[in-house]
């Protein structure tokens, strides 16, 4: 894993633009493919008017192969949700303290191996984010095809989130990270600059993408650094795969326990739907129920049928890593035994909190494979859905 990430670093350090411009003669024609009633979408911000998609897209395409390589090696797939809360965690032998993730949602959402990212890789992330920003100085982002624009904004948002968390790691809750020089939290600090406009990750979502794309599945492309949000994919978004990846991400999230559960007659849903509510779900709760129904499994459909109210209260703020943002001390004199009673010493290269997370994930996948009703969702583990010949355009 480290060798591949170092390749990403060396290439970025050479100054090669993160989103290489590919000259093409034409774009394939296939790319054209309650109280809430009082809520309204926020007024347009004049600073972001230059990013409104134009009506005549250019034939320029962007290449994210470097980012794709990096994601493939530092994103750890957790698989689809079993819609079961993870069991309580017992302390390690010799201590009362529990290290690592303990949340009932800890077996959901892909992870970034932040604890294994070295300084040169973290610098590469900063360089790559800057390259993406500079791309907007070379080309007019708003003149690209809609899928190209959407992929650009999703990738820039996610690179920036990962970069800032990596720079400040270890930490447990990304939402509480204050960005140097702004005295604002990660999601609100305008540390990203595109074509001279300072913007925050939330600005990208709510002032550029949500106002200009009518399909609510765009929500699922944005990684927020924690377990509670949509999973980070192991594949970079681009103009051809963005529709496919968003469909897959929507199915994973809408059917996850961290996104939808039931308490009495109320369907509790993720807070990400509250943020998007003024743009996509103004007729609440009818709109959000219809949206979730579009992607729902049989179990979630039963929740939709058995509830009358919708409350956007779910959100797990723990960092989406393997170690819960902490370094566990090693105990060389503590060991376990195998089935034959022989001592098993921990591998000093893998902290026990990380080892436990991986073992729990493996047990979860084995359980999925033992139950026929779960096999149909194994595609989330591999994330190798077949790419259609004619990409869908996300409007």
């Amino acid at each position: 894993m480290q060798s591949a990430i170092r390749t990403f670093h060396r290439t970025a350090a050479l100054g090669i633009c993160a989103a290489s411009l590919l000259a093409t003669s034409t774009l394939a024609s296939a790319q054209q493919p309650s109280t809430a009633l009082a809520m309204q979408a926020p007024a347009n911000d004049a600073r972001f008017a230059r990013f409104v998609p134009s009506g005549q897209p250019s034939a320029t395409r962007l290449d994210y192969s470097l980012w794709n390589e990096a994601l493939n090696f530092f994103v750890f797939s957790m698989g689809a949700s079993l819609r079961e809360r993870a069991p309580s965690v017992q302390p390690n032998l010799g201590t009362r303290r529990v290290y690592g993730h303990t949340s009932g949602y800890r077996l959901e959402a892909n992870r970034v191996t932040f604890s294994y990212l070295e300084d040169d890789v973290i610098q590469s992330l900063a360089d790559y984010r800057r390259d993406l920003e500079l791309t907007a100085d070379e080309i007019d982002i708003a003149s690209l095809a809609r899928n190209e624009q959407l992929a650009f904004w999703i990738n820039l948002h996610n690179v920036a989130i990962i970069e800032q968390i990596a720079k400040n790691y270890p930490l447990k809750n990304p939402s509480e990270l204050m960005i140097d020089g702004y005295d604002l939290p990660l999601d609100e600090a305008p540390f990203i600059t595109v074509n001279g406009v300072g913007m925050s990750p939330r600005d990208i979502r709510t002032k550029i993408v949500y106002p200009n794309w009518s399909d609510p599945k765009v929500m699922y492309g944005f990684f927020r650094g924690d377990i509670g949000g949509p999973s980070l994919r192991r594949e970079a978004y681009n103009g051809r795969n963005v529709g496919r990846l968003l469909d897959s991400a929507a199915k994973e999230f809408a059917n996850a326990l961290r996104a939808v559960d039931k308490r009495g007659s109320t369907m509790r849903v993720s807070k990400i739907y509250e943020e998007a509510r003024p743009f996509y779900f103004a007729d609440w709760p009818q709109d959000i129920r219809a949206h979730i129904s579009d992607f729902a499994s049989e179990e979630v459909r039963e929740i939709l049928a058995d509830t009358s109210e919708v409350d956007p209260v779910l959100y797990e703020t723990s960092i989406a890593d393997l170690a819960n943002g902490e370094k566990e001390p090693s105990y060389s004199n503590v060991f376990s035994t195998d089935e034959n009673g022989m001592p098993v010493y921990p591998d000093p290269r893998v902290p026990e909190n990380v080892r436990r997370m991986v073992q729990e994930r493996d047990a979860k996948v084995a359980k999925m494979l033992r139950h026929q009703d779960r096999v149909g969702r194994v595609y989330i583990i591999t994330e190798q859905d077949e790419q259609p010949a004619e990409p869908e355009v996300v409007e």
Side-chain angles (χ1 to χ4, degrees):
M1 178 177 74
Q2 286 297 322
S3 62
I5 295 176
R6 289 179 188 280
T7 299
F8 163 67
H9 164 69
R10 289 195 301 270
T11 309
L14 291 174
I16 298 176
C17 183
S20 305
L21 301 185
L22 300 182
T24 58
S25 58
T26 58
L27 283 175
S29 60
Q31 283 193 327
Q32 303 301 330
S34 105
T35 55
L37 295 177
M39 298 181 65
Q40 296 181 352
N44 290 336
D45 189 324
R47 294 176 302 153
F48 299 94
R50 70 186 68 183
F51 304 122
V52 175
S54 65
Q56 297 181 336
S58 73
T60 301
R61 290 191 296 153
L62 305 181
D63 172 42
Y64 301 99
S65 56
L66 292 178
W67 184 231
N68 192 77
E69 179 184 356
L71 290 171
N72 189 53
F73 284 95
F74 63 59
V75 176
F76 183 84
S77 178
M78 292 296 292
S81 172
L82 289 179
R83 294 201 53 77
E84 299 174 356
R85 289 187 67 86
S88 299
V89 180
Q90 299 303 313
N92 291 337
L93 184 64
T95 179
R96 294 183 179 181
R97 181 173 177 180
V98 175
Y99 290 92
H101 284 283
T102 60
S103 165
Y105 300 105
R106 69 181 181 275
L107 297 183
E108 299 194 353
N110 291 351
R111 306 303 165 83
V112 176
T113 57
F114 286 113
S115 55
Y116 291 92
L117 301 186
E118 299 177 359
D119 290 345
D120 58 344
V121 178
I122 295 171
Q123 182 59 51
S124 294
L125 289 166
D127 294 342
Y128 194 87
R129 190 253 296 180
R130 182 59 181 153
D131 280 345
L132 286 174
E133 293 174 332
L134 291 174
T135 297
D137 293 335
E138 300 295 325
I139 63 171
D140 178 13
I141 296 298
S143 71
L144 298 176
R146 291 186 65 85
N147 278 14
E148 294 290 340
Q149 293 181 56
L150 181 57
F152 172 83
W153 293 117
I154 291 175
N155 288 331
L156 176 59
H157 176 283
N158 294 349
V159 170
I161 289 284
I162 294 170
E163 172 213 356
Q164 292 299 319
I165 294 174
K167 284 173 58 177
N168 291 278
Y169 194 86
L171 72 159
K172 291 190 174 226
N173 301 105
S175 60
E176 297 177 0
L177 170 61
M178 302 298 288
I179 302 301
D180 290 343
Y182 294 97
D183 196 29
L184 288 169
L186 171 62
D187 204 37
E188 299 176 15
F191 64 93
I192 305 164
T193 302
V194 179
N195 201 216
V197 180
M199 61 186 68
S200 67
R202 180 178 293 175
D203 287 335
I204 291 177
R205 299 192 306 270
T206 65
K207 295 183 179 179
I208 297 175
V209 174
Y210 293 177
N212 294 301
W213 272 264
S214 60
D215 192 331
K217 72 183 180 185
V218 298
M219 294 181 294
Y220 303 109
F222 295 109
F223 177 62
R224 303 171 189 231
D226 45 37
I227 293 175
S231 270
L232 182 67
R233 315 302 291 176
R234 297 186 69 229
E235 182 178 355
Y237 288 88
N238 61 50
R240 293 191 61 84
N241 71 17
V242 65
R244 170 176 62 87
L245 291 184
L246 289 175
D247 280 336
S248 180
K251 291 175 184 176
E252 188 279 328
F253 191 79
N255 291 300
L257 189 65
R258 70 187 188 280
V260 178
D261 74 9
K262 178 178 179 290
R263 177 170 292 179
S265 62
T266 298
M267 180 173 72
R268 303 194 307 169
V269 300
S270 171
K271 289 183 179 180
I272 77 161
Y273 296 124
E274 179 70 8
E275 178 185 76
R277 183 171 169 178
F279 303 94
Y280 302 118
F281 313 120
D283 187 8
W284 189 278
Q286 285 76 16
D287 285 349
I288 185 60
R289 293 173 70 88
H291 171 73
I292 291 174
S293 179
D294 287 341
F295 302 100
S297 64
E298 181 178 349
E299 188 172 350
V300 172
R301 287 184 181 278
E302 291 176 358
I303 293 176
L304 286 164
D306 293 343
T307 55
S308 56
E309 303 294 329
V310 177
D311 193 5
V313 295
L314 299 178
Y315 206 82
E316 174 53 67
T317 61
S318 297
I319 186 171
D321 75 339
L322 292 172
N324 196 27
E326 57 192 16
K327 296 183 177 179
E328 180 176 14
S330 62
Y331 297 96
S332 59
N333 63 329
V334 177
F335 60 89
S336 58
T337 58
D338 63 17
E339 63 273 15
N340 298 315
M342 299 300 292
V344 178
Y345 293 92
D347 184 339
R349 295 170 298 176
V350 182
E352 186 59 30
N353 52 358
V354 173
R355 180 186 296 276
R356 172 173 62 81
M357 187 79 265
V358 174
Q359 290 175 334
E360 287 187 315
R361 180 267 191 187
D362 289 347
K364 166 192 166 180
V365 172
K367 183 174 183 178
M368 291 174 66
L369 295 175
R370 287 195 302 269
H371 292 79
Q372 292 299 315
D373 61 334
R374 299 294 184 186
V375 173
R377 285 193 260 163
V378 174
Y379 73 90
I380 293 294
I381 298 171
T382 65
E383 302 187 54
Q384 296 298 317
D385 297 355
E386 182 179 356
Q387 181 166 317
E390 298 186 352
E392 169 200 1
V393 170
V394 182
E395 296 292 351

